Amino acid sequence: MSHTGSSLDSVTAPPSPPSSTRWRLVDTIRGFALAGILLTNVGSLTTLGYGLEAGDWRPSVGATALDLLVESRFVPIFCFLFGLSLQLIVTSARRRGSSPWPPLLLRLGALFGMGLLHALVFPGDVLRIYAVGGLLILPLAILAPRVIVAVAGVVLLAAGFAVGGGMATVPGLLALGSASASFGLPAALERGGPRVVRVFVVSALVGAAGAALQLLLGPELSYGFVAESVGMVLSVAYVTGFALLWRTPVRRVLAAAFEALGRMALTNYVSASIVIASVVALVPGVDASERSDPTPGLLLALGLLVVQAVASRLWLTRLSYGPVEWLWRTITWRSVARLRGGAL
């Protein structure tokens, strides 16, 4: 059963924005999440501690900060936003008067192929997981009313935690992201308001208590369910806190730092792995296999993020999409996307 012409859909249909709407806050949050993901991945990319025995690990300020502020905090945001983008494709296809099945199947197939290539550089690639998860929830995103998609997302997320968390939570996060687009979450975050404040306060307090519990338990006991549960709550606090700052003069700083990074998220995600893997292979001393302190790798990642943010902004002043985004869009819609014309 399709949404189109359904009496149920007339009740549950999302408040669709104009086709020209670009949610700048969503782009900026995506860039923020991408930065957190690189800080998470840089340890694997630099083979941090791969040559050490378990007893050789030593606590450090960098490792503690990474555990409490970054690990498991940003992947849920990035995954959720990918689910949101799937629903935007559904809406865009229907505006064009076409079925959303072909563009989404092509989009997810292309993403899986990109993930296979990216895995040659970074075995921890998540693009393939997102593509498979997207295929699993695609019938929901296209056919089901938004309330059903939201309920299914909660159930799938709970099931993912029940079987061990990690990548098992991807389908649930994707479904919740898809439902959030249908319920108008991007516009609600742009507006801010008391509801966003309340969600931020509650999630920040619960997340802070959870992070304190992680610190109390220590790294040996706080991985797994505890870390992921706290990460999920703090990811909500990060997003809502970001949305509240977006309503202040700090917005300019946030947009300058993260918007272009987020608009070229796929290009930057893949290129970061290529750059860091090349640096590790070619520059003596960058390989961290005999170290347990992640601080040097984090500094390398932060430096690369600054370069990517500047390069992305310069690119988008003249061109509409990043190179990987342009290819992805061209495959999705089976027509060559217009590249020239600045997006910022």
Side-chain angles (χ1 to χ4, degrees):
M1 179 180 70
S2 170
H3 276 310
T4 306
S6 165
S7 60
L8 179 59
D9 184 61
S10 66
V11 177
T12 58
S16 298
S19 59
S20 61
T21 296
R22 179 89 198 190
W23 301 113
R24 292 188 62 198
L25 174 58
V26 171
D27 287 332
T28 308
I29 291 174
R30 186 183 297 109
F32 177 60
L34 180 73
I37 286 173
L38 180 56
L39 295 179
T40 301
N41 290 347
V42 71
S44 296
L45 287 165
T46 57
T47 64
L48 178 68
Y50 282 19
L52 298 178
E53 300 293 335
D56 295 333
W57 281 87
R58 296 290 181 269
S60 66
V61 173
T64 302
L66 195 65
D67 286 341
L68 296 182
L69 301 176
V70 180
E71 291 283 355
S72 304
R73 279 52 168 163
F74 289 92
V75 171
I77 301 174
F78 204 71
C79 186
F80 181 90
L81 292 179
F82 181 66
L84 187 149
S85 72
L86 291 180
Q87 190 59 47
L88 296 181
I89 296 293
V90 172
T91 302
S92 181
R94 287 182 174 142
R95 283 202 185 99
R96 297 169 184 231
S98 60
S99 168
W101 286 99
L104 280 171
L105 289 172
L106 287 169
R107 189 172 185 81
L108 293 170
L111 187 69
F112 188 83
M114 293 175 191
L116 288 176
L117 293 175
H118 183 230
L120 298 175
V121 179
F122 177 48
D125 166 77
V126 297
L127 300 182
R128 297 162 296 169
I129 307 299
Y130 287 2
V132 173
L135 287 171
L136 290 175
I137 66 108
L138 205 53
L140 280 171
I142 294 176
L143 301 175
R146 58 183 180 168
V147 174
I148 300 299
V149 180
V151 171
V154 173
V155 172
L156 287 170
L157 187 60
F161 272 110
V163 300
M167 290 303 154
T169 63
V170 167
L173 286 168
L174 292 177
L176 287 173
S178 174
S180 75
S182 296
F183 277 102
L185 181 66
L189 289 175
E190 290 268 4
R191 289 192 303 267
R195 288 184 180 179
V196 177
V197 173
R198 287 195 292 270
V199 173
F200 168 71
V201 170
V202 172
S203 58
L205 290 174
V206 174
L213 176 62
Q214 271 192 267
L215 191 61
L216 182 65
L217 293 175
E220 294 82 7
L221 298 177
S222 65
Y223 286 133
F225 180 79
V226 173
E228 290 197 39
S229 300
V230 174
M232 204 70 69
V233 174
L234 279 178
S235 68
V236 175
Y238 284 178
V239 169
T240 51
F242 208 100
L244 294 175
L245 288 174
W246 192 254
R247 304 289 297 172
T248 73
V250 179
R251 171 181 180 148
R252 292 185 177 181
V253 177
L254 296 176
F258 299 114
E259 184 180 7
L261 201 64
R263 293 198 68 159
M264 292 178 53
L266 192 53
T267 296
N268 288 319
Y269 173 68
V270 172
S271 64
S273 299
I274 294 171
V275 169
I276 293 178
S278 299
V279 169
V280 170
L282 299 174
V283 179
V286 178
D287 184 301
S289 58
E290 300 298 327
R291 295 198 297 266
S292 60
D293 183 4
T295 304
L298 294 176
L299 293 175
L300 172 63
L302 288 171
L304 178 58
L305 285 168
V306 171
V307 172
Q308 286 187 322
V310 173
S312 297
R313 196 158 193 88
L314 291 173
W315 179 282
L316 291 174
T317 57
R318 294 184 176 273
L319 300 170
S320 302
Y321 308 102
V324 182
E325 287 75 17
W326 173 86
L327 176 62
W328 202 22
R329 186 177 181 85
T330 294
I331 293 171
T332 297
W333 298 110
R334 291 171 291 175
S335 63
V336 177
R338 182 179 64 86
L339 185 57
R340 292 199 172 274
L344 290 177

